[in-house]
């Protein structure tokens, strides 16, 4: 239990806990915001009340996730001052501005229009309301852009140099457009959208399986499926390109992802391990199940490599990522879920083309509905695994190749960090069960299909009674003085 007296380890555990928990909520809001834009747009175009009721129903889950996301996101940023002060002092001139943009530009945009999106249905014109929904979705995704820029810069620092231990910006746009940022933003965008689509599809499948509002939820399932036809395979490709970047800029991370200890020279076939158990002390795998030439096909679409893949033994032990087993399996879980989504999408699309997803027949596709329900939480797992690979694989650096994690921690007693870590664990456990409780209530109640729909002019029919005339009871003199 030596780690209980290690400030660095405890600070990393605390940030990991808060980050993993926080990430559960914006993952859904960023993707569901786009879904709300789609269904509300379909209502405006078709005037079909079902799409209006979809927008009203799914926005309830959106605001639940938004609220918890805000409550858990703020402590994360405070930790850069409380637990990572040395890091903040070294890179704050650039890193702090990015976090400031995320809060003032993206979060405020989303929060500012959220009230109109939630409470403006009978108060503003439908097109103004639709604009508010678009701004909410845009703000949520813009927030992801700024966070990914900040994290990508930590992975591949660019746009300046460290002078006397402090990062001095020389080209701000080069720092923004660092080598990792573009593909990282795309990878996360499709990850959040894919997760949201399969959550929406899974919830819809649950209602269909229960025999509740089957026609209504067949629409949301088909919308999610239609979007997944594009998103799921594109995400596989974007992930592959991101892997190529890891090979180029962070070879130690690639070696840990593959639990590769020995360097594979160019021109030699590179096996790919499906499963293995890394032995970090012995610098080997105790056992592995490998596909001959598999890594070559993954990296270069051919069995023999044109460039070497460096193993972990090519680097000093203090420069290698820790917890190789965690990085190795987190990567495979993420990839496996991605391919499962593609398979489920393909099977569902075939059933749709066969007419099996019509409102009359979709209830009989029980095995397919169960598969969608199973898929609902998998996107969260894939995203969390991806961030584990991204951040644990960056170790031992907090800024890759420049600042070690141990050098960026605040000078605070380990007991203080242990206290705050325990507090976060207790509070976040409570919040998690609160979300489950309120989310279950929303799902149990289901959509209110009796909500009145605004008419073409965007106003609800309102009966107005004539005003009653009340005679002026003031004296005549007072009435005359009041006249202009």
């Amino acid at each position: 239990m030596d780690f209980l007296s290690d400030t660095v380890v405890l600070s990393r555990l605390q940030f990991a806990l808060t980050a993993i928990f926080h990430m559960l909520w914006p993952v859904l809001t960023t993707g569901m915001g786009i879904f709300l834009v789609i269904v509300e747009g379909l209502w405006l175009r078709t005037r079909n009340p079902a799409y209006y009721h979809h927008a009203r129903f799914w926005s309830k889950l959106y605001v639940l996730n938004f609220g918890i996301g805000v409550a858990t996101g703020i402590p994360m940023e405070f930790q850069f001052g409380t637990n990572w002060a040395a890091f903040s002092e070294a890179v704050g001139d650039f890193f702090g501005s990015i976090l400031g943009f995320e809060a003032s530009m993206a979060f405020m945009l989303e929060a500012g229009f959220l009230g109109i999106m939630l409470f403006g249905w009978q108060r503003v014109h439908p097109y103004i309301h639709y604009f508010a929904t678009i701004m909410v979705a845009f703000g949520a995704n813009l927030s992801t852009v700024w966070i990914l820029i900040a994290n990508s810069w930590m992975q591949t620092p660019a746009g300046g140099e460290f002078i006397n231990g402090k990062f001095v910006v020389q080209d701000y746009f080069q720092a923004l457009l660092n080598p990792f940022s573009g593909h990282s933003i795309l990878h996360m965008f499709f990850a959040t959208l894919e997760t949201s689509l399969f959550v929406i599809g899974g919830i819809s499948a649950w209602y269909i399986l229960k025999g509740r509002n089957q026609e209504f939820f067949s629409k949301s399932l088909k919308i999610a499926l239609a979007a997944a036809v594009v998103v799921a395979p594109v995400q596989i490709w974007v992930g592959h390109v991101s892997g190529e970047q890891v090979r180029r800029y962070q070879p130690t991370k690639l070696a840990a992802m593959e639990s590769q200890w020995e360097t594979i020279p160019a021109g030699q076939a590179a096996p790919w391990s499906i499963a293995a158990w890394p032995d970090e002390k012995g610098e080997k795998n105790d056992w592995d199940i490998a596909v001959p030439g598999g890594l070559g096909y993954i990296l270069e679409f051919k069995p023999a490599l044109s460039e070497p893949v460096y193993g972990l033994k090519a680097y000093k032990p203090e420069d290698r990522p820790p917890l190789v087993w965690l990085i190795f399996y987190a990567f495979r879980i993420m990839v496996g879920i991605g391919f499962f989504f593609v398979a489920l999408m393909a099977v569902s699309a075939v059933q749709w083309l066969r007419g099996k997803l019509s409102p009359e027949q979709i209830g009989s596709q029980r095995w397919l509905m169960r598969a969608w329900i199973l898929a609902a939480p998998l996107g969260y797992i894939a995203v969390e695994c991806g961030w584990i690979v991204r951040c644990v694989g960056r170790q031992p650096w907090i800024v890759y190749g420049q600042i070690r994690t141990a050098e960026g921690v605040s000078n605070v007693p380990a007991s203080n960090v242990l206290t705050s870590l325990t507090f976060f664990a207790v509070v976040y456990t409570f919040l998690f069960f609160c979300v489950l409780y309120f989310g279950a209530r929303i799902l149990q109640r289901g959509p209110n299909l009796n909500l009145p729909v605004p008419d073409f002019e965007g106003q609800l029919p309102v009966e107005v009674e004539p005003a009653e005339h009340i005679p002026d009871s003031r004296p005549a003199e007072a009435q005359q003085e009041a006249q202009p």
Side-chain angles (χ1 to χ4, degrees), residues 179-471:
F180 260 31
S181 62
H183 288 102
S184 295
I185 291 169
L186 283 177
H187 197 28
M188 191 61 186
F189 169 77
F190 285 110
T192 58
L193 183 55
E194 187 174 38
T195 299
S196 301
L197 292 174
F198 281 94
V199 167
I200 292 167
I203 292 174
S204 301
W206 180 79
Y207 278 104
I208 293 169
L209 206 58
K210 293 289 184 179
R212 294 178 57 185
N213 302 310
Q214 290 187 345
E215 183 176 359
F216 179 82
F217 283 104
S218 68
K219 290 184 182 296
S220 53
L221 178 62
K222 289 177 182 177
I223 293 172
L225 174 56
V229 168
V230 177
V231 172
V234 170
Q235 174 69 325
I236 296 292
W237 173 252
V238 174
H240 170 75
V241 176
S242 298
E244 291 179 340
Q245 283 193 312
V246 170
R247 180 187 185 186
R248 178 178 178 183
Y249 293 102
Q250 295 182 335
T252 55
K253 180 186 290 186
L254 177 64
M257 288 163 56
E258 301 302 333
S259 190
Q260 186 67 46
W261 297 95
E262 304 293 340
T263 297
I264 304 175
Q268 184 174 323
W272 181 71
S273 297
I274 300 174
W277 189 252
D279 178 5
E280 294 185 45
K281 291 184 178 180
E283 297 184 327
K284 62 182 179 63
N285 294 331
D286 289 340
W287 56 266
D288 64 356
I289 302 173
V291 177
L295 185 59
Y297 283 109
I298 292 173
L299 294 176
E300 301 181 7
F301 301 105
K302 57 183 180 181
L305 297 168
S306 59
E307 298 179 10
V309 172
Y310 294 99
L312 288 167
K313 292 171 68 173
Y315 305 94
K316 298 178 181 178
E318 61 269 23
D319 293 336
R320 302 172 189 169
L323 303 174
V324 174
W325 67 269
L326 178 61
I327 301 170
F328 177 84
Y329 281 106
F331 176 69
R332 277 149 182 77
I333 291 171
M334 176 187 66
V335 172
I337 291 173
F339 279 101
F340 174 77
F341 283 162
V342 171
L344 178 58
M345 173 274 299
V347 173
S348 301
V350 170
Q351 292 298 93
W352 192 359
L353 293 174
R354 295 178 60 200
K356 299 297 184 180
L357 300 187
S358 64
E360 297 77 20
Q361 298 193 48
I362 194 169
S364 64
Q365 303 297 305
R366 302 185 68 83
W367 61 272
L368 187 59
M369 297 303 105
R370 291 191 181 98
W372 275 88
I373 294 172
L374 173 66
L378 296 184
Y380 293 107
I381 298 173
V383 170
E384 299 287 12
C385 286
W387 277 94
I388 288 172
V389 172
R390 184 179 179 89
C391 295
V392 179
R394 188 190 64 235
Q395 302 301 318
W397 309 97
I398 192 169
V399 179
Y400 193 79
Q402 299 293 335
I403 304 177
R404 291 183 182 271
T405 304
E407 299 169 347
V409 75
S410 299
N411 184 21
V412 295
S415 58
N416 290 10
V417 184
L418 181 60
T419 300
S420 60
L421 172 60
T422 304
F423 173 79
F424 277 120
V426 172
V427 173
Y428 281 12
T429 300
F430 172 74
L431 289 177
F432 182 72
F433 282 104
C434 286
V435 173
L436 292 181
Y437 172 74
F438 287 108
R441 287 186 61 183
I442 293 172
L443 296 181
Q444 287 293 340
R445 291 180 179 180
N448 183 0
L449 303 182
N450 296 319
L451 281 173
V453 181
D455 62 17
F456 186 80
E457 297 300 326
Q459 300 295 328
L460 288 173
V462 179
E463 294 183 2
V464 180
E465 297 182 359
E468 180 183 355
H469 174 68
I470 302 176

